[in-house]
Amino acid sequence: MNAYEEYMREITQSMRDELTKAGFEELVTPEAVDQFMSTNEETALVVVNSVCGCAAGLARPAAVQSLDGEQKPAKLVTVFAGQDREATAKMREYFEGVEPSSPSMAIVKGGELKHFIPREQIEGHEVEDIVTQLTNAYSEFC
């Protein structure tokens, strides 16, 4: 790992921790993504994490808050755009017909995309609005 990669790993650790402390599993390799997507039959929330301000102020807090309700996904996973590039690219292959977007959130089940919240529905919105989008999706798919 070169000095830049090491620096970025250190800088992003707290951004990763915000989700892992809430129970999200990091998928950091394409193989881990394929393994998860090919074997998981339960409803899962996938957060495509990023270093941008809307991830910090909106996406991560909304994802965590959305888990407070009765209905929620059985599995929680995350990939980190710009950091774990290959894993993120592999996850995006499962989001058929969806433009790459980070941050973003997806509901997947049985290896299929069921619901997607792109950056455009995160940036400029309130955390509560994003939580509502997620909880509505949980009601439909969980």
Side-chain angles (χ1 to χ4, degrees):
M1 186 177 303
N2 68 36
Y4 173 76
E5 290 169 337
E6 182 62 33
Y7 172 76
M8 288 308 296
R9 177 67 79 185
E10 288 176 26
I11 292 294
T12 60
Q13 191 59 54
S14 65
M15 299 170 199
R16 293 170 181 276
D17 292 348
E18 190 171 352
L19 292 176
T20 57
K21 286 179 181 171
F24 284 80
E25 175 189 354
E26 281 191 297
L27 303 177
V28 297
T29 66
E31 296 79 17
V33 170
D34 275 339
Q35 172 71 22
F36 178 79
M37 293 298 284
S38 66
T39 61
N40 179 58
E41 293 300 320
E42 299 176 284
T43 303
L45 172 61
V46 179
V47 174
V48 178
N49 201 354
S50 84
V51 298
C52 73
C54 64
L58 299 168
R60 290 191 300 268
V64 172
Q65 285 180 34
S66 75
L67 304 173
D68 290 342
E70 289 290 313
Q71 232 170 357
K72 56 189 163 194
K75 302 280 185 166
L76 307 169
V77 296
T78 181
V79 293
F80 206 120
Q83 298 301 302
D84 302 322
R85 288 179 177 89
E86 295 84 7
T88 303
K90 180 54 73 176
M91 182 61 78
R92 286 176 171 153
E93 289 177 14
Y94 288 96
F95 301 162
E96 283 187 43
V98 174
E99 290 292 316
S101 180
S102 59
S104 60
M105 299 177 220
I107 303 292
V108 298
K109 186 173 186 176
E112 292 183 15
L113 178 65
K114 300 295 184 183
H115 185 79
F116 190 77
I117 300 173
R119 179 186 180 109
E120 296 77 41
Q121 292 175 19
I122 297 170
E123 189 175 34
H125 291 77
E126 297 295 323
V127 169
E128 294 75 21
D129 297 334
I130 303 161
V131 169
T132 298
Q133 289 182 66
L134 287 167
T135 55
N136 288 343
Y138 300 163
S139 294
E140 186 174 347
F141 299 107
C142 295

